[in-house]
Amino acid sequence: MLKKIRNAVLILILVGGLFWTFYYLFQKSNKPPVVFQTSQPFDTTIIKKTVATGSVTPRKEINMKSQVSGIIEKLYIVAGQQVKQGDVIAKIKIIPNMLNLANAENRVSVAQLNYDNSKIEYDRNKQLFDQSVISKSDMQTFELRIKSTQEELAAAQNQLQIIKEGVSKSSGSATNTLVKATITGMVLDVPVKEGGQVIESNTFNEGTTIASVANMGEMIFEGKLDESEVGKVQEGMDIVLTIGAIDKESFKAKLEYIAPKGITENGAIQFLIRASISKENAAFLRAGYSANADIILAKKDKVLAINESTLQFEKERSFVEVETTNQQFEKRYVKTGLSDGINVEILEGLKKTDKIKQPQLATVEN
């Protein structure tokens, strides 16, 4: 009896499992139909552009340097201050070189001895000339010598004073100890402080920069463009600048320079470009702002376009799937034009009322 009950239970389990399997397969084979989303062509403006990264800099920025070595005795400017050409920006206190100082003092001593000796000779011969003992031509020789030694003494004394003070009596107000602005503009940076030491600018040394002055009324964009893009641009193209520090505002510029030689950076060839920024915008641009330059390669206004993601390709031809009846689509070849990577211009093959199949599944009917 137990054996019969056990067999009956096993048979019921097997039959139930078989029915459940058939039901699951039936349900799976009856999935709801896929519904594709569609979109229609639209009128838009398509701009093809390339992007360069760089920064905003003044066109004219000059580093002011000292013509003498010494200590900064006084600074007359601060960063952000406006200066005019010729304004004094710093005063330098001379710290003389001991070797040059010793040589200059020795030269003065020698010049003084020569002058004293020539004066003694001149005074002695002047008496003889007054007594008509020597001729006038002989006397002129002594007059010329005393004048020559006098000039040599004055030159030696001036040189000694220049080494000590940076200015001589004969130079008047002209002095190398006063550093003056060579251009009119804004002081961008003052990298030194009062009491700091400076080195003179000469043919062997750039010298210490006391201040950087720039004309902030004429700004330019300097950036770099990859070699794959540089062949598409040319001087005179319009540029739209976006600056990270200035939200919701763009600046017009015009490309004015493309470097003839590239440089290697991180394994890629980059070309320097420069563009002049339009003065139409009244916003104040600070030197060093990072910026992105959108270089407009081509532009078309109010053209019929579709989303480029709906475009499909077959060999060398492009096509889209156009809805003929409800969720029924046919392949239609189209002729395309300008593309910005998101939208593409349609020249032939579509009307504005056509419905185009989206490439991805959108919704599923329950």
Side-chain angles (χ1 to χ4, degrees):
M1 186 68 181
L2 292 174
K3 187 176 181 180
K4 290 180 179 180
I5 295 173
R6 185 181 60 184
N7 291 337
V9 171
L10 289 174
I11 292 171
L12 287 174
I13 292 173
L14 290 173
V15 172
L18 185 63
F19 273 105
W20 184 86
T21 301
F22 278 112
Y23 178 78
Y24 174 77
L25 294 175
F26 176 78
Q27 289 291 104
K28 189 174 181 181
S29 64
N30 285 277
K31 284 185 176 181
V34 176
V35 177
F36 292 93
Q37 284 188 343
T38 60
S39 61
Q40 290 181 279
F42 52 90
D43 292 329
T44 187
T45 296
I46 297 179
I47 301 175
K48 185 179 181 181
K49 60 188 178 181
T50 185
V51 179
T53 58
S55 60
V56 175
T57 61
R59 182 182 295 277
K60 190 175 183 181
E61 180 178 348
I62 306 297
N63 291 330
M64 307 297 167
K65 300 178 182 292
S66 173
Q67 298 300 311
V68 294
S69 297
I71 302 297
I72 299 177
E73 185 176 349
K74 185 69 176 177
L75 282 173
Y76 299 100
I77 44 93
V78 293
Q81 179 179 336
Q82 291 284 346
V83 295
K84 295 181 179 179
Q85 183 177 357
D87 287 351
V88 177
I89 63 175
K91 183 178 181 181
I92 308 299
K93 181 180 179 182
I94 299 294
I95 305 297
N97 181 284
M98 298 309 296
L99 178 59
N100 293 338
L101 180 61
N103 290 335
E105 289 176 342
N106 183 62
R107 182 183 172 188
V108 171
S109 299
V110 172
Q112 186 68 54
L113 290 173
N114 291 334
Y115 173 73
D116 292 342
N117 185 56
S118 63
K119 189 173 186 311
I120 292 171
E121 290 183 348
Y122 174 80
D123 292 341
R124 183 172 60 247
N125 286 279
K126 181 69 169 59
Q127 293 178 358
L128 296 175
F129 175 72
D130 292 340
Q131 296 173 7
S132 300
V133 174
I134 61 175
S135 65
K136 185 176 182 179
S137 60
D138 291 335
M139 187 59 196
Q140 286 178 342
T141 302
F142 297 105
E143 290 177 348
L144 178 61
R145 184 178 177 188
I146 192 173
K147 290 180 180 180
S148 177
T149 55
Q150 188 176 14
E151 289 296 325
E152 184 179 350
L153 176 60
Q157 290 172 338
N158 282 337
Q159 184 181 14
L160 178 60
Q161 188 174 7
I162 290 174
I163 291 176
K164 285 183 175 181
E165 304 174 12
V167 62
S168 65
K169 294 179 181 179
S170 60
S171 62
S173 60
T175 175
N176 287 336
T177 59
L178 297 180
V179 182
K180 297 182 179 181
T182 56
I183 63 169
T184 298
M186 178 182 287
V187 179
L188 299 184
D189 185 29
V190 184
V192 295
K193 296 181 180 180
E194 291 182 2
Q197 188 172 2
V198 295
I199 301 174
E200 66 179 290
S201 175
N202 52 44
T203 54
F204 304 103
N205 191 354
E206 291 186 359
T208 304
T209 298
I210 294 177
S212 297
V213 179
N215 178 10
M216 301 300 286
E218 190 173 2
M219 306 295 285
I220 62 172
F221 167 81
E222 285 189 347
K224 292 175 183 176
L225 197 61
D226 189 80
E227 63 176 330
S228 61
E229 301 290 337
V230 74
K232 303 175 185 178
V233 302
Q234 58 185 359
E235 296 174 1
M237 282 185 167
D238 291 329
I239 291 178
V240 177
L241 291 179
T242 54
I243 299 174
I246 303 178
D247 296 332
K248 300 178 182 179
E249 196 166 359
S250 59
F251 299 81
K252 294 181 180 179
K254 192 170 288 291
L255 186 62
E256 64 179 20
Y257 172 78
I258 305 171
K261 181 180 179 180
I263 56 176
T264 304
E265 285 190 0
N266 300 323
I269 306 298
Q270 303 286 324
F271 287 82
L272 177 68
I273 62 171
R274 185 164 55 240
S276 58
I277 301 176
S278 173
K279 297 180 181 179
E280 295 178 3
N281 201 303
F284 176 69
L285 295 179
R286 299 181 184 274
Y289 273 157
S290 60
N292 291 329
D294 294 334
I295 306 174
I296 300 173
L297 303 177
K299 180 180 179 181
K300 286 189 177 181
D301 295 318
K302 295 181 180 179
V303 295
L304 187 66
I306 62 173
N307 193 297
E308 194 164 347
S309 63
T310 62
L311 200 63
Q312 303 181 57
F313 300 93
E314 184 179 67
K315 295 182 179 179
E316 296 182 357
R317 303 179 68 185
S318 54
F319 69 91
V320 294
E321 294 185 72
V322 179
E323 187 177 40
T324 54
T325 58
N326 185 31
Q327 290 294 301
Q328 298 296 317
F329 301 91
E330 69 173 9
K331 182 189 294 185
R332 187 177 300 177
Y333 292 100
V334 294
K335 183 178 180 181
T336 60
L338 188 64
S339 170
D340 61 5
I342 299 175
N343 300 319
V344 59
E345 178 189 8
I346 298 298
L347 300 176
E348 295 178 4
L350 288 177
K351 302 188 298 292
K352 203 170 182 180
T353 55
D354 289 332
K355 294 183 178 181
I356 304 167
K357 177 183 175 182
Q358 297 286 348
Q360 71 279 3
L361 295 176
T363 59
V364 176
E365 291 184 352
N366 294 322

